[in-house]
Amino acid sequence: MIANVSGNGIAVGITGIGAYAPERVLTNADLERMVDTSDEWIVTRTGIRERHIAEPEQAASDLALPAAREALEEAGVAARDLDLLVVATATPDMLFPATAAVLADELGAKRAAAYDLLAGCTGFVYALSQAYGAIATGLSGKALVVGTETLSKITNWQDRSTCILFGDGAGAAVVEPVSEGGILGFELGADGSGGSDLCIPAGGSRTPVTADALDQELQFIKMRGQEVFRFATRVMVTSAEELLAECGAGVDDVDLYVPHQANKRIIDHAVKNLGLASERVFMNIDRYGNTSSASIPLCLAEARDQGLLDDGTRVLMSAVGAGLTWGSAYMTWTNGRASR
Ligand code: ACO
């Protein structure tokens, strides 16, 4: 789907962001001691130098909680005033109850509808569109959108082709009506024919977790890296181009490009093909790896800390992930300008 929502009569924006990454850091040197790999291979092929790893007792909601509190504090919104809480995650605390319900309880968001959304690494962009839609139609007043992942728990630490890529973290955004600017459009899609290129085979109704499934290590991420890479390089470009065209904008109308941090080579390809100036591109993949649905809000929080998100900054976010899914959002940043 694609939509230019700028003429919808209600401006909806992000009024607060927060992020959290677990303390423990796993470097490429650590990985050299675990699997047959090298810092040089990982940096050259992915741009990743280190990633954060959750403690055994830390679940997705535990990472989400500090990120959510920071976002609410920045927005000046009390959890009890939220009426929607969407958690994008591929690594929920458990299949049900939803991690969003767990988080709503911990935050004290007693009035909020709370559900999880599964769109792989595109989850944050999908969730942002859900919050936008709910607010634009009057269904919701104030929403919290969270991307949180403990990918370390579904990674096979003996598989060098995947274990070097992923990291843990969480990011959150408060979404509510703003006086002007805010979200300008979305382009979202899915191609399930590529689903088996990036999946966790066991743990659902197709293949429940059994001793046999565990013997075959089907509870871990399986990825055909080159297929995903080819798909990602294509849709990161087409999604952004189509959305900007729909919004009557061009690359010169992008002040900050915040791509999903999957692989520096995928980002470099998108930047080159879109014709974006490198100083407008935000990257932190070297320090976090691929944190899936947490990656874009982690970037937004760091961009804010670096003073890159001013009133009026035009931000383009694009992601691609399991599904296979993709999505882009284009918006004008509106620092602390909720219309209350
Ligand atoms: N260290 C050293 N060598 C390695 C490693 C490693 N960690 N991993 C693979 N190799 C080897 C391979 O065995 C292969 O060896 P061979 O030539 O002797 O057969 C060689 O390196 C090249 O392997 P490729 O798979 O061709 O390497 P490629 O350049 O494609 O990089 C990578 C692999 C990094 C996985 C890349 O394909 C990629 O980034 N794919 C996209 C992944 C992605 O973006 N996923 C996003 C979604 S995640 C989500 O939604 C949860």
Side-chain angles (χ1 to χ4, degrees):
M1 71 185 202
I2 186 163
N4 173 347
V5 299
S6 61
N8 276 4
I10 176 166
V12 176
I14 293 176
T15 56
I17 33 182
Y20 175 79
E23 269 173 39
R24 192 176 146 218
V25 171
L26 187 75
T27 65
N28 290 350
D30 296 328
L31 281 165
E32 284 177 350
R33 291 187 282 275
M34 295 161 64
V35 287
D36 180 14
T37 192
S38 66
D39 174 57
E40 197 263 334
W41 192 97
I42 301 171
V43 172
T44 314
R45 300 286 181 127
T46 72
I48 302 167
R49 294 183 184 277
E50 58 187 38
R51 64 289 287 147
H52 292 253
I53 302 291
E55 296 302 326
E57 67 278 10
Q58 277 182 313
S61 66
D62 300 319
L63 306 194
L65 188 60
R69 285 194 171 131
E70 184 189 346
L72 289 166
E73 190 180 333
E74 191 191 20
V77 167
R80 64 177 175 279
D81 292 331
L82 290 172
D83 41 30
L84 178 64
L85 204 174
V86 188
V87 171
T89 183
T91 50
D93 288 17
M94 53 190 94
L95 265 180
F96 63 84
T99 301
V102 174
L103 183 62
D105 180 54
E106 285 169 345
L107 287 169
K110 294 192 182 307
R111 291 177 47 238
Y115 63 90
D116 291 358
L117 187 154
L118 182 54
C121 305
T122 318
F124 182 79
V125 180
Y126 265 59
L128 190 60
S129 79
Q130 297 273 295
Y132 172 82
I135 294 168
T137 55
L139 194 57
S140 168
K142 297 181 195 301
L144 182 69
V145 169
V146 177
T148 182
E149 301 288 2
T150 51
L151 296 170
S152 62
K153 314 262 181 150
I154 55 166
T155 296
N156 181 346
W157 290 101
Q158 266 112 52
D159 175 7
R160 69 175 182 173
S161 67
T162 54
C163 75
I164 51 132
L165 291 173
F166 301 112
D168 299 335
V174 173
V175 184
E176 57 181 329
V178 290
S179 41
E180 58 178 316
I183 294 164
L184 302 169
F186 290 101
E187 197 279 330
L188 305 170
D191 178 0
S193 70
S196 63
D197 290 339
L198 179 55
C199 66
I200 301 177
S205 57
R206 177 74 58 201
T207 309
V209 176
T210 57
D212 188 39
L214 293 176
D215 278 350
Q216 296 178 60
E217 300 186 324
L218 300 181
Q219 76 276 29
F220 295 130
I221 299 174
K222 304 275 183 261
M223 184 175 74
R224 293 190 197 100
Q226 290 187 0
E227 279 79 352
V228 177
F229 191 90
R230 267 195 294 275
F231 182 85
T233 47
R234 179 166 56 82
V235 299
M236 288 289 281
V237 176
T238 54
S239 177
E241 280 178 345
E242 287 168 20
L243 177 57
L244 289 176
E246 181 74 16
C247 294
V251 278
D252 292 343
D253 301 307
V254 176
D255 300 313
L256 192 66
Y257 175 55
V258 182
H260 166 50
Q261 312 283 302
N263 184 324
K264 183 174 182 294
R265 283 158 55 215
I266 296 174
I267 299 172
D268 287 345
H269 177 275
V271 168
K272 184 161 164 261
N273 283 271
L274 288 168
L276 277 158
S278 57
E279 63 272 17
R280 296 185 178 190
V281 180
F282 195 88
M283 261 198 264
N284 62 13
I285 188 168
D286 56 329
R287 286 171 291 118
Y288 292 97
N290 178 349
T291 57
S292 192
S293 63
S295 109
I296 287 181
L298 271 168
C299 285
L300 289 175
E302 285 202 347
R304 174 206 56 197
D305 294 346
Q306 292 172 23
L308 298 173
L309 290 173
D310 286 327
D311 250 357
T313 302
R314 292 159 302 177
V315 180
L316 174 67
M317 314 167 208
S318 289
V320 56
L324 298 171
T325 58
W326 69 88
S328 296
Y330 183 47
M331 65 183 295
T332 305
W333 205 259
T334 46
N335 269 336
R337 280 200 285 137
S339 58
R340 288 174 206 149

